[in-house]
C-alpha cells in the first residue's frame, strides 16, 4: 500500500483536488493507496505502507515548512519516499538542507544530471514553486533547470524529491516510483 501524504495547509482544503487526487488516480491502478493529512499521520500509517509520496501544495502554502517537526520520521524511515514540490522542500529541511528562492510557473525544461530510476535525459515538466533546494551533504542533485535544482536523491536512502509536478505532466515518474523494489 502506498501512503500519500496530503501536504496542504489543512485537511480537505480545495487544493486536495489539485495536488493529492491526481497522485492517487495515477498510482491507484498499480497499487492500493491510502491518504492521510500530514497533521493526522501516525506510525501505524507509516508501518502499513510500502512507500510514501508527499504531495505538492499551492504556490504560497508553506504549512509543512512551518511544521517540519511532524516529519522527523523521514530520517529513520526505511522504505522509499518521493516528495513532490512541498514534499522535496520539507524533506530537505528535515535533513538540514537550505532552501532558496526560485520562482517557476508553467512548462519548464529540465535535464537529468545523475543516473536514477525515475527519469532520464532532457524533458519538459510543469513547475509551480517559489522555493528550491540547495543540497549540501545529504542529497545529490539528479536534475536541474536553467534556474533551479529540480530533483534530488538522498545519498544513502531511497528518498527522492522532485520540485516539479509529475501528477500534472510526466506521470510515468510516479509509476516508476511505484515500481521501485
Amino acid at each position: 500500500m502506498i501512503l500519500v501524504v496530503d501536504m496542504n495547509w489543512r485537511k480537505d482544503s480545495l487544493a486536495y483536488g489539485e495536488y493529492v487526487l491526481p497522485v492517487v488516480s495515477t498510482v491507484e491502478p498499480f497499487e492500493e493507496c491510502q491518504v492521510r493529512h500530514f497533521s493526522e499521520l501516525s506510525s501505524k500509517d507509516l508501518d502499513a505502507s510500502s512507500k510514501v509520496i508527499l504531495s505538492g501544495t499551492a504556490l504560497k502554502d508553506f504549512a509543512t515548512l512551518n511544521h517540519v517537526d511532524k516529519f522527523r520520521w523521514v530520517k529513520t524511515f526505511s522504505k522509499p519516499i518521493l516528495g513532490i514540490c512541498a514534499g522535496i522542500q520539507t524533506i530537505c529541511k528535515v535533513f538540514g538542507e537550505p532552501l532558496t528562492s526560485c520562482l517557476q510557473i508553467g512548462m519548464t525544461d529540465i535535464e537529468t544530471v545523475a543516473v536514477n530510476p525515475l527519469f532520464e535525459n532532457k524533458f519538459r515538466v510543469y513547475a509551480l514553486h517559489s522555493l528550491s533546494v540547495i543540497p549540501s551533504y545529504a542529497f545529490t542533485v539528479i536534475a536541474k533547470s536553467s534556474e533551479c535544482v529540480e530533483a534530488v536523491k538522498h545519498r544513502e536512502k531511497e528518498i527522492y524529491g522532485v520540485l516539479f509536478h509529475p501528477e500534472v505532466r510526466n506521470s510515468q515518474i510516479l509509476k516508476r516510483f511505484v515500481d521501485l523494489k
Side-chain angles (χ1 to χ4, degrees):
M1 186 265 307
I2 305 269
L3 176 63
V4 179
V5 179
D6 177 355
M7 303 286 279
N8 291 291
W9 69 284
R10 73 175 168 88
K11 184 179 177 180
D12 299 324
S13 72
L14 288 176
Y16 180 87
E18 188 172 351
Y19 299 99
V20 179
L21 286 182
V23 172
V24 172
S25 67
T26 299
V27 171
E28 218 160 34
F30 308 106
E31 190 164 339
E32 179 186 352
C33 290
Q34 178 181 29
V35 178
R36 288 286 184 265
H37 189 264
F38 79 89
S39 66
E40 298 178 341
L41 199 55
S42 72
S43 58
K44 184 178 177 183
D45 297 325
L46 294 166
D47 291 345
S49 68
S50 61
K51 296 176 182 72
V52 174
I53 299 174
L54 306 178
S55 78
T57 63
L59 188 60
K60 293 185 178 184
D61 182 348
F62 302 113
T64 60
L65 296 180
N66 295 325
H67 295 284
V68 173
D69 57 304
K70 294 194 178 290
F71 295 91
R72 295 290 174 210
W73 59 267
V74 168
K75 281 190 167 186
T76 58
F77 195 67
S78 62
K79 300 168 192 172
I81 301 172
L82 173 63
I84 299 170
C85 190
I88 184 178
Q89 296 163 355
T90 303
I91 289 169
C92 286
K93 289 292 284 184
V94 166
F95 282 94
E97 304 281 5
L99 301 179
T100 186
S101 293
C102 187
L103 179 64
Q104 287 183 309
I105 300 172
M107 298 307 297
T108 303
D109 294 317
I110 70 169
E111 181 174 1
T112 304
V113 296
V115 174
N116 69 85
L118 301 182
F119 48 78
E120 57 191 19
N121 303 319
K122 295 179 181 180
F123 56 104
R124 288 179 68 77
V125 300
Y126 179 74
L128 181 65
H129 54 81
S130 60
L131 296 172
S132 184
V133 300
I134 305 174
S136 55
Y137 71 95
F139 290 88
T140 301
V141 175
I142 59 175
K144 293 180 177 182
S145 67
S146 60
E147 291 107 28
C148 302
V149 169
E150 294 285 345
V152 298
K153 184 200 178 293
H154 191 275
R155 292 184 190 275
E156 298 170 8
K157 298 173 157 245
E158 291 297 306
I159 300 176
Y160 300 87
V162 295
L163 198 55
F164 55 90
H165 291 268
E167 74 278 14
V168 174
R169 182 181 171 111
N170 313 104
S171 61
Q172 74 278 6
I173 292 170
L174 294 171
K175 169 71 167 91
R176 288 180 178 177
F177 177 74
V178 169
D179 290 342
L180 286 177
K181 298 297 176 205

